[in-house]
Amino acid sequence: MKEFDRLVELIKILRGKDGCPWDRVQTLESLKPCLIEETAEVLEAMEGDPEEHKGELGDLLMNIVFQADIREDEGKFNIEDVSKEVCEKLIRRHPHVFGDKENNLTPEQTLVNWEAIKKTEKIHQNRKSALDGIPKYLPALSKAQKIQKKASKIGFDWGKDEIDQVIKKVNEEFDELKVEMEKNNHKGCKEELGDLLFAVVNLARFLDVDANQALENTIKKFDSRFRYVEERCDMQNSTLDQMNTLWEEAKLEEKKGKK
């Protein structure tokens, strides 16, 4: 904890009277974009070099300590209070580890118990809707899937063997979008496209696929194939057929690489 204490002290110096002009004027609101960016960078680093991952975790930790220092100046709480609360939460939500209950649960049973204990906690007792508590800053695809899961837990869902109904709903939403497209109704298209995306996310949930990750994987494929085409032709002076030929070559190269 020596280095953690050092980090806490460094943040206090940077935000202090003789500290950094930029750091001194930061607020919780101004730190939000930084937090989103740092989180995204951690997610990317998790897939690669451990040294880079370590550095990005440090940046994220710095943001957390920075926020706690702002709250300490407001007289609300400090980083020690944050650490204490999360420790107490971990102990409270793991009675099968830290309590007197037998530790022979499956991962699924553990999750059920975790959710049940959450509902007894003060911070969750004022929630009126099953949909309360979903972070508004979640990416839209993740938020859609989260909302659907919460609704499903209280029975607002098709059965797992009714995936044909989910597919039917996707087709219905696509047909409704086409109607608005024929009308050239931009507002209607926007609404129906949103409905279609929501239905597709629901299909992903029924297939036990993370919709956000599925889209990320497709983006990566597009990025790789586009760069392949870009490196092998003059994009400004090539025909679409020429570019499509290279695109198909890129797909074949991907398949070879997977073998």
Side-chain angles (χ1 to χ4, degrees):
M1 297 302 296
K2 181 180 177 181
E3 292 301 324
F4 180 77
D5 291 340
R6 183 183 178 202
L7 171 61
V8 173
E9 186 59 31
L10 284 172
I11 294 297
K12 290 186 178 298
I13 292 172
L14 289 170
R15 295 192 62 249
K17 181 180 177 182
D18 298 319
C20 172
W22 186 88
D23 289 316
R24 289 204 308 265
V25 299
Q26 297 312 302
T27 64
L28 293 177
E29 191 64 30
S30 71
L31 288 177
K32 285 182 180 179
C34 300
L35 178 61
I36 292 171
E37 184 175 339
E38 298 298 355
T39 303
E41 289 175 354
V42 168
L43 289 169
E44 184 173 352
M46 287 167 70
E47 301 173 0
D49 179 27
E51 282 298 311
E52 184 178 352
H53 187 195
K54 178 176 67 176
E56 296 301 345
L57 281 174
D59 292 343
L60 181 59
L61 180 59
M62 178 181 66
N63 191 291
I64 293 169
V65 174
F66 204 119
Q67 291 183 48
D69 196 64
I70 291 175
R71 286 302 196 189
E72 184 174 3
D73 285 351
E74 296 173 348
K76 304 297 184 182
F77 60 78
N78 60 27
I79 193 65
E80 187 175 348
D81 297 324
V82 174
S83 300
K84 179 183 178 183
E85 182 157 326
V86 73
C87 286
E88 291 176 350
K89 183 187 297 183
L90 285 171
I91 293 170
R92 184 170 62 250
R93 294 186 185 179
H94 291 85
H96 53 290
V97 177
F98 301 108
D100 55 4
K101 293 188 177 181
E102 292 185 17
N103 192 359
N104 58 356
L105 302 175
T106 65
E108 292 75 19
Q109 290 171 326
T110 302
L111 186 59
V112 169
N113 285 354
W114 176 281
E115 293 296 330
I117 294 168
K118 274 178 66 175
K119 291 178 181 177
T120 67
E121 294 170 350
K122 184 178 179 180
I123 193 172
H124 300 287
Q125 288 177 349
N126 292 328
R127 293 180 178 177
K128 298 178 180 179
S129 169
L131 304 183
D132 286 344
I134 298 176
K136 66 178 182 179
Y137 290 107
L138 269 180
L141 289 179
S142 297
K143 188 186 294 185
Q145 206 152 16
K146 187 86 171 176
I147 284 175
Q148 292 166 359
K149 284 181 180 179
K150 280 183 171 280
S152 177
K153 285 181 180 179
I154 58 171
F156 192 74
D157 200 5
W158 284 293
K160 279 297 179 183
D161 58 344
E162 295 181 286
I163 194 169
D164 56 320
Q165 295 295 324
V166 182
I167 295 171
K168 181 181 177 182
K169 185 63 176 176
V170 171
N171 290 331
E172 285 179 4
E173 298 297 354
F174 188 42
D175 288 340
E176 290 175 8
L177 173 60
K178 287 189 287 186
V179 169
E180 297 303 321
M181 290 171 64
E182 290 170 2
K183 295 178 184 177
N184 200 26
N185 181 358
H186 182 266
K187 183 178 179 181
C189 285
K190 181 179 178 181
E191 182 174 342
E192 295 301 339
L193 184 58
D195 291 346
L196 175 59
L197 287 170
F198 194 82
V200 170
V201 169
N202 202 32
L203 177 59
R205 183 174 63 86
F206 266 75
L207 295 173
D208 197 25
V209 171
D210 184 285
N212 202 63
Q213 191 59 57
L215 182 57
E216 283 288 350
N217 291 342
T218 296
I219 291 169
K220 287 179 182 178
K221 284 193 298 185
F222 182 91
D223 182 276
S224 176
R225 294 171 187 175
F226 184 85
R227 291 174 188 272
Y228 181 97
V229 175
E230 197 175 30
E231 290 170 359
R232 288 163 177 77
C233 75
D234 180 354
M235 301 287 283
Q236 299 297 326
N237 298 306
S238 298
T239 65
L240 184 58
D241 285 341
Q242 290 171 324
M243 288 187 280
N244 278 334
T245 297
L246 289 169
W247 183 272
E248 293 301 321
E249 282 183 17
K251 289 170 66 175
L252 289 173
E253 289 298 320
E254 282 178 11
K255 291 180 180 178
K256 290 178 183 177
K258 291 178 181 178
K259 290 182 179 179

